[in-house]
Amino acid sequence: MNRTTGTKHAVFQALQKDFDITNLGRVKQFLGQEVRCNGGFYSLRLASYIDGLIEKFGMKDCNPAKTPMDPSYMKLDNSSNSKPFADITRYRSLVGALLYVAVNARPDVAVSVSSLGRKVSSPTEMDWTAAKRVVRYLKGTRGYKLQFGPGKGWSLEGYSDADWAGDQASRKSTSGYTFFSEKVRSRG
């Protein structure tokens, strides 16, 4: 038994003296997230959560989208081009669910969801259509997962970028970042 395992075991036994607890082993499901460990790599996937989202918003028969958002959506000032969306609560519910997906395991939809979140006070029909497109994208990519790996022998690279006043309506800027890790290959 190594030192870490021994410490975990000791903590578990100490807690068991005062509390009724059970050790269920490695986590497999947590707050809608599927957690897997394989060869020292942990992965998070939200396939079941996405399936529930598709069901909740009546999109079982929709066609998957190849991208989370139409590029022209962010360039348009749709406040004057589209009529107000009638059910603001439904829009907020969808954007909140998409935010959960983006924050927990799917950074590939973060920019799209952020743009949709700017409209929660007064969404339009165009905003609703854009939000449903994110769901369609998630349907086609429901198996994607966020993977974390061990640090030894791996490198981490980060990139960031920002636009300047990219939102045509508010003139607000958008920034973003991404990180990649890869196995360091020996050169020889």
Side-chain angles (χ1 to χ4, degrees):
M1 183 181 317
N2 67 33
R3 184 175 148 176
T4 304
T5 305
T7 304
K8 287 181 197 176
H9 186 69
V11 169
F12 182 79
Q13 285 184 326
L15 288 170
Q16 201 171 26
K17 288 178 185 175
D18 296 320
F19 302 100
D20 184 23
I21 61 173
T22 305
N23 183 353
L24 300 175
R26 287 187 182 234
V27 64
K28 294 179 179 95
Q29 187 87 10
F30 181 74
L31 297 175
Q33 300 175 50
E34 300 161 36
V35 182
R36 300 289 181 264
C37 180
N38 186 8
F41 288 92
Y42 284 89
S43 65
L44 300 176
R45 192 173 77 156
L46 290 167
S48 299
Y49 185 87
I50 291 168
D51 290 341
L53 190 64
I54 291 166
E55 178 80 28
K56 179 179 179 180
F57 289 95
M59 299 181 66
K60 283 194 313 185
D61 297 328
C62 71
N63 292 323
K66 291 186 179 186
T67 59
M69 186 168 279
D70 183 351
S72 65
Y73 172 80
M74 296 190 34
K75 293 181 181 174
L76 297 174
D77 175 15
N78 62 17
S79 58
S80 60
N81 299 342
S82 181
K83 66 181 184 174
F85 185 62
D87 192 351
I88 293 174
T89 303
R90 188 163 171 80
Y91 179 81
R92 289 177 179 171
S93 178
L94 178 54
V95 171
L98 293 173
L99 184 60
Y100 180 82
V101 171
V103 167
N104 286 289
R106 294 296 300 272
D108 55 328
V109 298
V111 172
S112 302
V113 175
S114 172
S115 296
L116 296 168
R118 296 174 188 169
K119 311 292 177 81
V120 292
S121 62
S122 56
T124 65
E125 292 287 339
M126 190 180 290
D127 299 325
W128 178 246
T129 301
K132 290 192 308 183
R133 181 182 174 120
V134 176
V135 176
R136 289 177 42 227
Y137 171 76
L138 290 172
K139 181 179 182 180
T141 60
R142 65 182 287 286
Y144 283 16
K145 58 189 172 186
L146 187 60
Q147 186 165 303
F148 305 94
K152 187 175 181 180
W154 289 77
S155 70
L156 180 66
E157 290 184 39
Y159 301 91
S160 66
D161 195 11
D163 67 1
W164 181 256
D167 186 329
Q168 298 296 315
S170 68
R171 306 302 293 161
K172 291 182 180 175
S173 301
T174 302
S175 62
Y177 56 88
T178 187
F179 289 90
F180 297 97
S181 69
E182 66 178 344
K183 185 82 169 160
V184 178
R185 294 177 181 90
S186 61
R187 297 177 190 199

